[in-house]
Amino acid sequence: MNNATILIVGGGPGGLSTALHLARLNPLLASRILILEKERYPRPKLCAGGLTADAEALLERLGLDLNEIPRVDVKTARFDFAGGGLKIRPRKRYALRVVRRDEFDSWLADKVRERGVEIREGVTVTAVIPDPNGVTVETDAERFRAEILVGADGSNGVTRRCILPNEPLSASRTLEIITPSPNAGKALNTGDAFFDFFPVPKNVAGYTWNFPTQVKGQPMRCWGIYDSNLLSNFKRPALQDLLAREMEQRGFQMEKRKIQSHPIRRFEPQNRFSAPRVLLVGDAAGADPLFGEGVSIALGYGAVAAREIAEALQRGEFSFRGYKSRLARSGLGQALFARWVIANLVYSLKWAWFQFLLWRVLQPVVALAAWVFILNWSKRIK
């Protein structure tokens, strides 16, 4: 049996961020951390890959520079309803820095290894069994034992299913398509990111997106649709049909394009985020319910969880009863709660006239609310 002080299940942004922040808080902890990842880097991952300014700020605090990896920098993000609306263009940062998840996660894993943390790839966890003295983790290869376990294994991961078997799943859904960079349409050639909320009156509580990306250095365009499922009790059109409509209006055909989809666990204030000796981060804890933002949020979870773990080790007390309140007090928790409130309000008021008013008339109000409640949460995480 292999032993570790801190075992992290999942080598995505949430798990890697937790390890990096722990090593930053106490470099001596690095050699006591073990990460188990079921795939091998670089592994494909369905994700649009848009990193916000908060994600970049967290990475900079860790001494990491996104300029080291391929990316597309987007200066302006547009939040529209039926083709017009609000423009967001930060003065000192980009609206989005778009990465490919296989490249980003592999780069982040290399940085974790550089700090002395071990990552074992190709290990599939089959069971997590906490007890008063630690946690036993069974895998397809061998058994592991740890004082603390971090569940960073995604929306429907093994960790949550084992420690919280009766917790309901509040899941959003997405579709994503990658196409070559368009040659027609000035708007699409500007490099802006577009988020259009025209699906809301059709009982799809979300938006379509399209923004520039790259694949192996070649310019591409990422298209997708997000549905928080907050209007799931109403009759809704197929997400694929709505995305096809958006693409056609921009001069693209969906035919013969590879469509990918996956569920995302939504953050809900009533969610449980821990059990004795185990805590959850990233999508295992819950992603942003308003936009479905996952990567930036996962990096923030890692910062909060690392602080909770470091203090638990100092106290020698591992109930993690205070993790939820720590999260709620943090900038990340405050932003997630605000996004949950806004999502339930904005998506429930689904009338076309209200969405038109919100995105095309009340732009200064929306921009101010976004700046105060939704963005800049990384500054409130120590």
Side-chain angles (χ1 to χ4, degrees), residues 1 63 107 120 181 195 211 218 231 236 263 322 373:
M1 181 181 293
W107 169 75
R120 296 196 189 180
S181 185
F195 305 89
F211 50 72
Q218 297 300 310
L231 298 175
R236 298 173 292 176
F373 298 110

Side-chain angles (χ1 to χ4, degrees), residues 76 78 80 83 87 182-194 210-212 221 223 249-250:
T76 303
R78 294 180 49 171
D80 297 340
K87 294 182 180 180
N183 295 317
K186 292 182 179 179
L188 289 177
N189 287 326
T190 62
D192 290 353
F194 294 82
N210 79 84
F211 50 72
R221 197 84 187 175
W223 307 78
Q249 289 184 342
R250 302 284 186 177

Side-chain angles (χ1 to χ4, degrees), residues 29-158:
L29 285 176
S31 62
R32 300 163 62 188
I33 302 170
L34 175 61
I35 299 176
L36 302 180
E37 166 55 43
K38 68 178 180 179
E39 305 292 346
R40 295 188 180 275
Y41 301 105
R43 77 273 201 277
K45 187 73 174 178
L46 179 60
C47 177
L51 302 183
T52 63
D54 284 302
E56 188 176 6
L58 286 171
L59 293 171
E60 287 175 354
R61 196 177 303 164
L62 291 167
L64 306 182
D65 184 359
L66 273 174
N67 294 313
E68 294 179 4
I69 59 173
R71 76 213 170 277
V72 175
D73 296 330
V74 177
K75 293 182 178 179
T76 303
R78 294 180 49 171
F79 297 85
D80 297 340
F81 178 72
L86 173 68
K87 294 182 180 180
I88 299 291
R89 184 167 185 165
R91 275 183 278 181
K92 296 183 179 180
R93 291 189 181 272
Y94 294 100
L96 288 177
R97 307 196 80 180
V98 184
V99 298
R100 299 303 299 163
R101 279 291 303 277
D102 56 344
E103 295 168 332
F104 176 76
D105 289 10
S106 183
W107 169 75
L108 205 60
D110 287 342
K111 297 303 180 182
V112 167
R113 290 190 179 102
E114 288 174 8
R115 283 155 173 77
V117 176
E118 181 183 359
I119 303 176
R120 296 196 189 180
E121 302 173 53
V123 178
T124 299
V125 172
T126 57
V128 171
I129 309 165
D131 60 64
N133 299 312
V135 185
T136 299
V137 176
E138 296 181 353
T139 76
D140 60 350
E142 55 190 306
R143 181 177 291 182
F144 295 85
R145 182 73 178 170
E147 291 185 34
I148 296 168
L149 185 133
V150 178
D153 47 348
S155 294
N156 196 31
V158 172

